[in-house]
Amino acid sequence: MARPSHARSRPSLEEDEDEEDPVDAMISRTGCMAQHRELQECMAARQDWRHCQPQVRAFGECMARRQRAEE
């Protein structure tokens, strides 16, 4: 039997949707969100990152440019 407090400690789906994912927030600050979304869409459609190499490279290059700019 589940502990009564367990259900109360989890946010509702509505609350969860209102909160921004910390990873999405971090990627948004890099300026690479468009590349990240394209990669996510490819992964959702193809279910295999090997079929998404152009998107993987574009996202990686964007993140690398951001890192170089910070140095």
Side-chain angles (χ1 to χ4, degrees):
M1 184 170 166
R3 292 181 295 179
S5 63
H6 179 72
R8 285 182 273 147
S9 67
R10 294 186 63 193
S12 71
L13 289 177
E14 188 175 306
E15 289 174 14
D16 194 35
E17 289 175 4
D18 291 341
E19 293 180 26
E20 185 174 22
D21 182 340
V23 173
D24 283 345
M26 183 272 303
I27 293 170
S28 182
R29 288 190 298 269
T30 68
C32 298
M33 185 55 82
Q35 293 86 349
H36 182 252
R37 292 276 185 236
E38 288 176 19
L39 177 55
Q40 285 183 318
E41 289 171 9
C42 181
M43 289 290 298
R46 303 297 297 269
Q47 300 291 310
D48 187 343
W49 65 271
R50 294 172 292 186
H51 295 286
C52 301
Q53 288 306 295
Q55 294 85 353
V56 169
R57 279 191 290 278
F59 180 58
E61 289 168 2
C62 183
M63 293 296 285
R65 282 191 303 272
R66 170 65 180 200
Q67 188 172 17
R68 284 191 301 270
E70 289 181 358
E71 292 175 350

